[in-house]
Amino acid sequence: MSDATPSPASPDFNDMTRDIAEVPAVEVIVTVAVNLMSAAAVKLGLTEDGDKYKDLDEARKLVHALAGLLDAGTTEISSFHAAPLRDGLKSLQLAFREASIVPDEPGQGPGEKYTGPVYG
């Protein structure tokens, strides 16, 4: 016997689809960028817990993905939104460079494929 009503624990995908349909693309892009920035900061050990969650391999992936998103999306989200995100990206790239025991060559750090070399 199947019940067509979703249980309280299961998501209602129709509601979720309607909700996401109402969100402007700029807001989705910025939200994803902020989530990538936050995750990268945690993996770089920049939170209160510091080294507890530090993982430079994971941080590299997150920073690189953030740089790619910003490279592709900057023209779509306006400089009002893009400028602070680019500043945050550069800060994460510099933090990565500082945290690395063996520094990357200029232009080879995470996301530098998209941003160009980052110097401290």
Side-chain angles (χ1 to χ4, degrees), residues 18-33:
R18 277 193 300 276
D19 289 346
I20 200 71
E22 296 171 5
V23 179
V26 170
E27 192 172 323
V28 173
I29 294 167
V30 170
T31 299
V32 170

Side-chain angles (χ1 to χ4, degrees), residues 3-115:
D3 186 4
T5 3
S7 69
S10 68
D12 182 348
F13 293 108
N14 290 329
D15 286 343
M16 290 172 61
T17 301
R18 277 193 300 276
D19 289 346
I20 200 71
E22 296 171 5
V23 179
V26 170
E27 192 172 323
V28 173
I29 294 167
V30 170
T31 299
V32 170
V34 169
N35 285 332
L36 287 168
M37 291 175 80
S38 298
V42 169
K43 297 296 184 177
L44 284 167
L46 301 177
T47 61
E48 245 179 59
D49 292 328
D51 289 341
K52 184 176 178 182
Y53 300 109
K54 189 173 184 177
D55 184 335
L56 294 183
D57 184 50
E58 291 288 303
R60 177 184 293 278
K61 293 170 187 170
L62 292 163
V63 172
H64 190 76
L66 173 63
L69 175 65
L70 293 181
D71 183 56
T74 294
T75 58
E76 305 300 325
I77 63 174
S78 81
S79 60
F80 175 77
H81 295 290
L85 293 172
R86 281 193 302 258
D87 290 345
L89 170 60
K90 183 175 181 179
S91 295
L92 291 169
Q93 288 172 312
L94 290 171
F96 185 92
R97 194 167 287 284
E98 284 180 22
S100 295
I101 296 169
V102 180
D104 294 313
E105 293 292 321
Q108 300 301 308
E112 292 181 8
K113 167 183 173 180
Y114 301 106
T115 64

